Amino acid sequence: MIVAKFGGTSVADAAAIRRTGEIVRGRLGRAPVIVVSALAGATNALLSAAELAASGQLVAALEHVSQLRDRHLATISELLGSGPEAHELRAETSLMFDELAHLAEALSVLGFATPRSMDAVASMGERLSAPICAAAFSQMGIPSVAVDSRQVMITNDDFGRAAPLPAQIAAASHAQLLPIIAAGKVPVVGGFVGATTSGITTTLGRGGSDYSAALFGAALNADAIEIWTDVDGMLTADPRVVPGAQLIEHLRFDEAAELASFGAKVLHPSTIAPAVERDIPVYVFNSMRPEAVGTRITFEAPPCTVRAIAGKRGVVVVRVGSPKMLGTPGALRSIFEAFDRYRISVDVVATSEVSVSLTVDDDPSLLKAVEDLRGFGEVAIERDRGIVALVGAGLGGSSPSMARALRAVGDERLHMVSLSSTGINLTLIVDDAQVHPVMRLLHHEFFGGASA
Ligand code: ASP
Ligand code: MG
């Protein structure tokens, strides 16, 4: 069996849901479990409604609710027409919107929203979309059953970012999903949403549907997980920066993780970790172009020199130097602790015996951390820097790629260079304004195509 997850744009409206239904039809031979997001934009609209209500703007909040209601009801009519199924689903949907309107009223009376009440509201998007998709697929001749994700995605009560309880999820998925598959039907579950063991609604955090798919895939030991979105997959560079960026057909999980930390937004690898840890391959596909190859992410992948080039602007370099550090155990730890104290995450590090250079995002608390660091010696801050990273499992060891990359950047001013110990990431710190030109240069060197 496989788990196929369809993001908000893949279920945005009736046409998208039908397109998704055709993709599901093409997978019937593989016993698919379908995970769906809320209709595109619905979660944002729900959260704004909750915030408006809690800040006393009930009329505006109810306006959001009624727009969402109209949108969902219109989608149902377009998909199912006016038969008895359509009638029943419209009635169920209306009831959920009544519940939502009551929630909004309650929030406006209270004047504040707790994480728990925000989850009750945010969960509505997927609780609405799953029954609509299941009904639409059934109407298309694909017998499907909507499953309330709160019966299967069991979590702790960390509202807003609940942690899944894998053993409970496995037991519940086996009990609830497998019988549906055994009966020759397709289970359709909302992503993102779960419930505590006592049944209180939770969510996994924004964008959590990928995580749901990976968790169900791991729980059911799926043969594959498919993430259907609105781009072709992961690319060798951001196409807005490098016009000749190419699709990556296959990459390693750790490579994908490196790319994500540089803002590759296709999917966040930490969310698919439960699947990858079990050696379940994860595919990224475009639901607008189902025939395209997509990207495959696995624990191991065929070797390459450079898999992709990423960049990040607006980075700050902090340099701490002091002869006192020479032979002083624990100096590095204390330096990192200073950043940790203000929850500033450090990206790239280079050290010598008497100095440490590191990069951080420009953060309002940076100056506080720097104050603390003055205890160690000289601290210098360089703003207007950026990171260019070459990511690829072939960069380590005695690979000539590193020398090749350095030759390719020529006279470029490099403020730091770092090769990660696992050798999958060569990082160059350049002037902020040079991030994009250097990305294009390196992309040309390793992937060909235009250099500027
Ligand atoms: N609908 C949720 C969100 O927008 C979860 C998801 O789409 O993955 O955050
Ligand atoms: Mg999404």
Side-chain angles (χ1 to χ4, degrees), residues 5 7-8 37 207-209:
K5 175 257 170 175
S37 285
S209 295

Side-chain angles (χ1 to χ4, degrees), residues 5 7-8 37-38 43-44 126 191-192 205-210:
K5 175 257 170 175
S37 285
T43 311
N44 284 340
E126 277 75 6
F192 173 60
R206 290 310 304 272
S209 295
D210 293 347

Side-chain angles (χ1 to χ4, degrees), residues 34 126-127 130-131 134 144-152 172 176-177 180 186-190 216:
I34 305 302
E126 277 75 6
R127 289 168 55 199
S144 304
V145 179
V147 177
D148 186 338
S149 52
R150 295 171 300 173
Q151 309 282 325
V152 275
Q176 310 266 349
L177 303 178
I180 298 173
V186 177
V188 181
V189 197
F216 289 132

Side-chain angles (χ1 to χ4, degrees), residues 271-293:
T271 65
I272 58 164
V276 177
E277 277 159 15
R278 291 179 172 243
D279 225 356
I280 303 173
V282 176
Y283 295 81
V284 178
F285 290 125
N286 187 347
S287 68
M288 310 280 192
R289 297 198 329 120
E291 68 290 348
V293 270

